[in-house]
Amino acid sequence: GAGDSTELPGVKAYRDGLNSYPRQIRARLSEDMQFKVVDLLEKIAPLVEINNFVDLGCGSWDSIQVFDKLLSPKRIFGFEAHPDNFTKAVQWHKDDPRIKIFSSAVSDFDGQTTLHIHPSSPSGHSLKKFSFGEKPLEIASVRLDTWAAQNGIKTLDLVKTDTQGNDFEVIKGMGEYLRTVQILCMELWFCQGAYEETFLIGEVLQYLAVYGLRFYNFECLSMRSNGILRWGDAVFVREELFKKLANKS
């Protein structure tokens, strides 16, 4: 049940991470908008079967544990761009043969790229340049459609992407595999902020609609002290799944 799920260490770490944002860039909203991922996924879980779960940015908090508990995917693939976070994720899941962790960034191209290191947040590293001080790290990057085809993966049923301003590039890098996604959890930006050239919510919504993915709800929202919405963690579902949810009492 929801009460049990919210006690998972991974959920607690996520909640603690949300609450750690400086007050000047994030104001507390009502509790039901603070943290909804558990409640949302519990409503979706009976209506969908997840074969493959891809978690992008899986080493800053144990998100794999949360999604595994609620949706029971048959196979889990995690990606971590930062070496320290990659090591943590491997250690967390070394005893589960269903889980494979890859040391790579994910974007809309294959090759080498630069990871910009956040000076204070282990979850804030990004392929986007910051509006403040940073130090770069050269790493590998892969498109998800390239990776999936090379590994014989036919569907990306559940995708969680938390790549600090680079999530739309991740989506574009799925190519036609985006049509196989049943549930997509991603960060949406309402205004330009800390990261350079971030795609905003309107363009993302239009793009996903073309591929049959419909906005379902926000897990949480962040706003500045002046009341302007900054970003939100959103859940999208396939159109057919949305209709099933709409028909539930």
Side-chain angles (χ1 to χ4, degrees):
D4 295 335
S5 299
T6 53
E7 296 304 314
L8 286 168
V11 176
K12 182 181 184 303
Y14 187 42
R15 188 194 297 275
D16 291 347
L18 288 174
N19 291 337
S20 71
Y21 279 97
R23 186 171 296 177
Q24 64 269 27
I25 63 171
R26 182 181 173 280
R28 293 188 64 85
L29 303 177
S30 61
E31 179 63 22
D32 64 335
M33 289 303 291
Q34 279 292 311
F35 186 76
K36 298 182 71 171
V37 63
V38 170
D39 289 341
L40 294 178
L41 294 180
E42 284 191 330
K43 289 178 174 63
I44 296 171
L47 304 177
V48 65
E49 181 178 5
I50 303 298
N51 291 309
N52 299 310
F53 167 34
V54 180
D55 188 345
L56 311 178
C58 64
S60 57
W61 64 283
D62 196 358
S63 48
I64 284 178
Q65 180 196 48
V66 177
F67 286 83
D68 185 26
K69 175 75 173 179
L70 295 169
L71 291 164
S72 303
K74 295 177 181 177
R75 297 191 296 178
I76 301 172
F77 307 97
F79 285 81
E80 250 306 333
H82 192 278
D84 293 345
N85 289 345
F86 168 73
T87 300
K88 283 194 298 182
V90 170
Q91 182 63 29
W92 287 336
H93 305 294
K94 59 184 174 62
D95 297 325
D96 192 330
R98 297 173 304 137
I99 303 175
K100 295 182 180 180
I101 309 296
F102 296 84
S103 179
S104 175
V106 177
S107 193
D108 56 356
F109 64 94
D110 300 311
Q112 292 297 114
T113 189
T114 299
L115 181 68
H116 301 280
I117 306 303
H118 195 287
S120 60
S121 172
S123 63
H125 315 310
S126 178
L127 298 188
K128 302 281 190 179
K129 289 184 178 180
F130 300 131
S131 57
F132 45 87
E134 61 184 73
K135 55 181 179 178
L137 178 68
E138 294 304 308
I139 58 170
S141 173
V142 66
R143 290 175 56 99
L144 274 182
D145 57 1
T146 302
W147 167 82
Q150 290 175 346
N151 287 275
I153 296 168
K154 298 186 182 301
T155 62
L156 306 178
D157 307 283
L158 167 62
V159 176
K160 187 226 88 184
T161 171
D162 185 6
T163 58
Q164 304 303 310
N166 198 62
D167 299 289
F168 191 38
E169 285 83 350
V170 167
I171 299 306
K172 291 189 289 184
M174 292 186 197
E176 289 301 303
Y177 276 89
L178 190 54
R179 300 189 188 278
T180 72
V181 174
Q182 296 296 316
I183 306 169
L184 171 65
C185 300
M186 68 176 294
E187 192 174 76
L188 292 177
W189 285 80
F190 299 97
C191 62
Q192 295 295 338
Y195 303 105
E196 179 182 74
E197 298 178 354
T198 303
F199 286 94
L200 302 184
I201 182 171
E203 188 166 359
V204 178
L205 290 173
Q206 290 179 357
Y207 188 88
L208 292 176
V210 172
Y211 287 85
L213 286 166
R214 185 161 176 176
F215 173 76
Y216 175 44
N217 210 328
F218 283 108
E219 300 172 22
C220 65
L221 291 167
S222 169
M223 67 180 177
R224 299 181 185 275
S225 57
N226 58 14
I228 295 175
L229 277 174
R230 187 168 178 258
W231 56 263
D233 286 336
V235 179
F236 292 83
V237 296
R238 186 140 302 281
E239 181 68 33
E240 294 82 0
L241 182 53
F242 185 91
K243 290 177 181 177
K244 291 180 182 178
L245 287 162
N247 290 330
K248 286 186 68 175
S249 57

